[in-house]
Amino acid sequence: MKALWNNQVIAESDDTIQHQDKVFFPPHSLKKEFLRESLTHDVTHEIGVASFYTLKHRDKENLDAAYFYNEPAPESAHIKNYVTFNEEIEIKEE
């Protein structure tokens, strides 16, 4: 699977996890040069507290476009630290 934004591969892996209609990528599959840590956090009762990344490529920025759960709820423990993306990021099966 590949995550693409602004004609750039942001993440690529054969070890993704499908969870609640989202594709989660392992942390090592991310192209870190395009990610900037965000101060944003959000809570969902089903999964836990999400932490965000902003994507930056050339002169474009996509605020809080990527997110992960470093302490997910027990029923979502399998996605711990795996990263997923908002709807602006294209996910392709390769």
Side-chain angles (χ1 to χ4, degrees):
M1 301 288 277
K2 287 183 181 180
L4 299 134
W5 174 70
N6 199 25
N7 294 317
Q8 180 62 51
V9 175
I10 303 301
E12 184 173 9
S13 178
D14 293 329
D15 188 28
T16 58
I17 298 172
Q18 187 81 29
H19 184 72
Q20 294 187 351
D21 299 327
K22 290 286 202 176
V23 176
F24 285 79
F25 289 79
H28 67 270
S29 71
L30 301 171
K31 308 291 184 181
K32 301 278 187 183
E33 63 268 26
F34 303 113
L35 302 172
R36 304 289 179 266
E37 285 188 41
S38 170
L39 297 177
T40 303
H41 297 284
D42 192 24
V43 178
T44 61
H45 297 291
E46 302 86 27
I47 302 177
V49 178
S51 297
F52 289 80
Y53 290 113
T54 291
L55 300 179
K56 187 169 175 94
H57 180 243
R58 296 190 186 121
D59 61 342
K60 295 191 179 196
E61 215 173 50
N62 192 331
L63 297 175
D64 300 335
Y67 56 97
F68 65 96
Y69 300 88
N70 61 4
E71 292 184 30
E75 57 273 9
S76 298
H78 61 290
I79 62 163
K80 181 177 180 167
N81 294 324
Y82 273 56
V83 177
T84 193
F85 300 93
N86 70 19
E87 63 281 346
E88 295 176 39
I89 309 308
E90 181 183 5
I91 306 297
K92 281 188 164 184
E93 193 168 348
E94 296 280 321

